[in-house]
Amino acid sequence: MAAAAILRVRHCGLDIFCRQAPSRCPACGRSLRGAGLAAAPLRLPSPFRHGHRQPRAFLLRPTAGNFLGGYDGKSDLHVGITNSNGLVYNYNEEGVHRDETGWEQCISIPLVQPDMFGLLQQWDQLLEEFSVGEAWLPHRYEEHDHNCYTYALAFINNLLTAQGKEQMSKSEFTEKFVIPQTKQASKYITLHQELAANDFYIVPLPDQEKQ
């Protein structure tokens, strides 16, 4: 079941996060009606996507469970690449899998721009051909050095080479594409956990936003 939306209300120099918009400010008790635009409840966009609806994307999810179901921020993550129909190709000690389910709550990073017509047409064929390579046989798997991330990044680098672009190191790809998304996800998970225990989660606004 999908978690209820997280709302943000601003009042008294505070960010007030909640599941249901309050009629009064939980900090000062004053009515929020007519308190101006800032006090209007704003729905926070979820950083998580249904992976099987994200064509040609790099996906990230916990190896066990899901992000909003008790993820502690330290457990292992698993990555995969979708084809144009949302089939998730991913590699582990059993070899390459083509998952039709199991990636319903992911961080998703699109890999193809709409103007890359050639790549859009060839994507599924390139992904399938890459995935049957000997490098991705089960016995080649190694938890730290030849894993799901190695597989996904090697495919991405294959595409970059074919386009005459420079390959990316793991640290470069992680820093540029993954970390901004996981930071956003981490904040959302914190809010989700706080609101599972309390009606409100209240934090002071940064000084520059109090004006």
Side-chain angles (χ1 to χ4, degrees):
M1 194 178 86
I6 296 177
L7 306 177
R8 187 197 73 197
V9 174
R10 287 191 163 167
H11 200 254
C12 299
L14 303 168
D15 261 341
I16 300 157
F17 298 97
C18 50
R19 296 287 189 193
Q20 290 186 314
S23 56
R24 295 183 172 277
C25 172
C28 71
R30 282 181 300 190
S31 173
L32 292 175
R33 278 195 185 154
L37 198 57
L42 176 77
R43 180 181 176 144
L44 298 188
S46 170
F48 305 116
R49 301 283 173 268
H50 191 304
H52 300 288
R53 296 176 190 155
Q54 307 296 314
R56 297 175 286 271
F58 175 96
L59 302 182
L60 189 70
R61 67 161 171 80
T63 302
N66 59 54
F67 283 116
L68 296 179
Y71 179 67
D72 61 6
K74 301 184 193 74
S75 306
D76 288 344
L77 295 171
H78 190 48
V79 305
I81 304 265
T82 52
N83 72 1
S84 59
N85 299 310
L87 194 68
V88 184
Y89 283 65
N90 59 101
Y91 177 62
N92 66 11
E93 62 275 9
E94 296 168 0
V96 175
H97 299 261
R98 296 156 182 81
D99 295 343
E100 294 182 10
T101 61
W103 297 74
E104 288 78 16
Q105 193 187 91
C106 300
I107 290 170
S108 173
I109 299 164
L111 294 174
V112 182
Q113 303 302 319
D115 60 351
M116 297 179 174
F117 300 115
L119 205 47
L120 290 171
Q121 301 292 318
Q122 294 178 279
W123 186 269
D124 291 0
Q125 183 188 342
L126 293 170
L127 183 55
E128 180 60 36
E129 286 175 0
F130 174 80
S131 300
V132 296
E134 283 190 17
W136 316 115
L137 291 171
H139 72 274
R140 299 290 300 274
Y141 182 84
E142 208 287 316
E143 188 179 354
H144 299 294
D145 300 317
H146 195 79
N147 53 27
C148 60
Y149 206 128
T150 318
Y151 163 80
L153 186 60
F155 176 68
I156 291 166
N157 277 328
N158 258 23
L159 297 178
L160 290 172
T161 301
Q163 294 171 61
K165 296 177 182 174
E166 272 192 45
Q167 294 201 354
M168 298 183 85
S169 67
K170 181 178 178 180
S171 57
E172 193 181 353
F173 182 82
T174 303
E175 200 167 309
K176 188 172 180 183
F177 295 104
V178 178
I179 288 176
Q181 300 264 16
T182 52
K183 276 185 177 172
Q184 191 185 352
S186 179
K187 289 176 183 172
Y188 196 90
I189 291 168
T190 299
L191 292 173
H192 172 78
Q193 291 170 344
E194 290 288 343
L195 293 174
N198 306 289
D199 289 337
F200 301 103
Y201 179 60
I202 300 173
V203 292
L205 269 170
D207 288 340
Q208 67 268 26
E209 294 188 44
K210 285 183 180 176
Q211 307 308 320

